Amino acid sequence: MKEIHVSLTAVRQVRRPEGAPSAADFEIVTQPLPDLADGQVLVENRYLSVDPYMREFMEWGGWELGAGLEGRTIGEVVESKEPTLPVGATVFHRHGWATHAVLTSTDARTITPADGVPLSAYLGILGGTGLTAYVGLTRIAQVRPGDDVFISAAAGAVGSAAGQIARLLGAGRIVGSTGSAAKVEHLTRDLGFDAAFNYHDGSVTDLLAKAAPDGIDVYFDNVGGDHLAAAIDALRERGRVAWCGSVAQYNNLRTPPSAPHNLFDVVGKSLRIEGFLVRNHLDAREEFEEFLIPHVRSGQVLVNETVTEGFSSIVDAFIGMLRGENVGKMLVRV
């Protein structure tokens, strides 16, 4: 086999951010790739994912300063010394924020895209993003037909997936919060939400009460803070909260937020609040794909994504995602 000699371009974190991350927290490095050892493959990355959880990694050391950065990635095997991962195979891996990766079979999962489904969907609606939404709704909140559901950060990656999946599960009224009038329109026009509101327009409690005047049964929480307090007010007896994220505090992780003022209503209403990590539910992947792929293929479920072009755009894409500049999943096409 002809040897392929290329350089790897990668992003490294060089300092911990204070408040919102900036480009100065990162640097781009280029280095030669080592020769492959037996059992290794060289992957040329095609799509890179940037996600809210990465802001926590910047703070607490999930990313080590000066080292490679974790991130969901899809690429193509371009050189192989591992028979189970031949040249041309499409793989998912987590050695992100780089143009290439040297992997073993334990690092990579082969993907065979379904007919009519774009490859990028396997980092979004059919990837960890969609699986997070599915697990939160089915295993954690246990959504039942007719349940009224509120989803915060509803125009983001997980939120937009949760709204569409909730509809497929037979939810009744689906309400979303988001950060602009344009995103409100996108939720109700394109993603099937019954109502949505811009949380900048006033008290979240008041806005949710107007959008869901009869209350809600389930809250899918991507935000925390005032959104969680508003949901506790709106939840009916024995309502459920699937707590997925807390984007409201990601830029202020070292100062714990105050508890919701109405937290004791969890007792009075017999509510259940459960946090979860999708990595503890990877056994749901096959069930999830069987459920969702037909709806993606038919167009009933939208592959909702914002794609930036070129590896050099990844830092700007990450910072923009944290600012809410994306609709749906934020991806970088290398």
Side-chain angles (χ1 to χ4, degrees):
M1 180 183 298
K2 182 180 178 180
E3 294 292 326
I4 300 174
H5 298 284
V6 296
S7 295
L8 174 150
T9 302
V11 175
R12 302 287 187 250
Q13 183 183 345
V14 295
R15 69 179 188 183
R16 303 287 180 212
E18 295 187 10
S22 72
D25 298 325
F26 301 93
E27 68 175 2
I28 294 179
V29 300
T30 300
Q31 60 193 51
L33 280 165
D35 292 334
L36 295 183
D38 288 344
Q40 291 183 324
V41 298
L42 175 63
V43 173
E44 188 170 271
N45 292 330
R46 302 300 189 207
Y47 286 96
L48 306 170
S49 174
V50 293
D51 297 284
Y53 75 86
M54 295 171 173
R55 175 61 184 85
E56 293 183 277
F57 279 14
M58 293 187 74
E59 194 84 24
W60 304 123
W63 286 349
E64 299 302 328
L65 294 180
L69 304 185
E70 188 269 2
R72 298 183 179 109
T73 306
I74 289 176
E76 179 184 346
V77 176
V78 294
E79 184 181 357
S80 177
K81 291 189 176 181
E82 169 49 59
T84 64
L85 295 173
V87 170
T90 299
V91 297
F92 167 90
H93 65 89
R94 302 190 73 107
H95 294 248
W97 291 65
T99 55
H100 298 77
V102 175
L103 309 174
T104 67
S105 60
T106 59
D107 298 321
R109 174 170 58 87
T110 303
I111 293 174
T112 304
D115 291 342
V117 175
L119 181 60
S120 60
Y122 288 87
L123 282 180
I125 190 70
L126 291 175
T129 296
L131 183 60
T132 298
Y134 181 79
V135 165
L137 292 169
T138 60
R139 291 190 172 184
I140 309 304
Q142 299 174 9
V143 169
R144 299 181 287 264
D147 279 345
D148 294 327
V149 178
F150 170 46
I151 301 165
S152 56
V158 173
S160 61
Q164 296 188 88
I165 293 171
R167 178 63 68 211
L168 296 175
L169 294 172
R173 186 169 179 80
I174 302 174
V175 175
S177 71
T178 188
S180 73
K183 290 182 178 181
V184 167
E185 183 179 2
H186 175 59
L187 292 175
T188 56
R189 180 193 63 208
D190 303 323
L191 298 183
F193 282 71
D194 296 287
F197 59 85
N198 178 354
Y199 63 83
H200 295 296
D201 286 346
S203 158
V204 177
T205 297
D206 293 343
L207 293 166
L208 178 56
K210 182 177 180 180
D214 298 323
I216 58 174
D217 300 291
V218 168
Y219 172 42
F220 193 108
D221 192 5
N222 293 304
V223 174
D226 57 353
H227 280 70
L228 178 56
I232 289 172
D233 270 351
L235 280 160
R236 301 177 182 129
E237 292 280 331
R238 301 192 181 278
R240 291 92 70 202
V241 176
W243 198 342
C244 175
S246 190
V247 71
Q249 78 174 84
Y250 284 163
N251 286 330
N252 196 24
L253 289 167
R254 297 185 183 275
T255 304
S258 299
H261 65 88
N262 55 353
L263 190 60
F264 192 68
D265 287 351
V266 172
V267 175
K269 294 183 178 183
S270 299
L271 305 180
R272 178 167 58 81
I273 299 177
E274 183 176 350
F276 71 101
L277 295 170
V278 72
R279 69 186 182 208
N280 296 325
H281 298 272
L282 297 182
D283 62 302
R285 185 184 306 281
E286 183 177 353
E287 166 195 323
F288 157 70
E289 290 185 350
E290 289 179 359
F291 170 78
L292 200 59
I293 283 175
H295 300 293
V296 175
R297 185 187 288 122
S298 71
Q300 185 177 359
V301 168
L302 180 68
V303 178
N304 199 39
E305 61 188 19
T306 300
V307 181
T308 66
E309 298 290 342
F311 178 75
S312 62
S313 71
I314 190 168
V315 172
D316 288 342
F318 173 62
I319 292 172
M321 177 272 304
L322 291 175
R323 293 173 178 166
E325 294 174 4
N326 57 301
V327 172
K329 183 70 175 178
M330 179 68 97
L331 298 174
V332 176
R333 181 163 33 221
V334 181

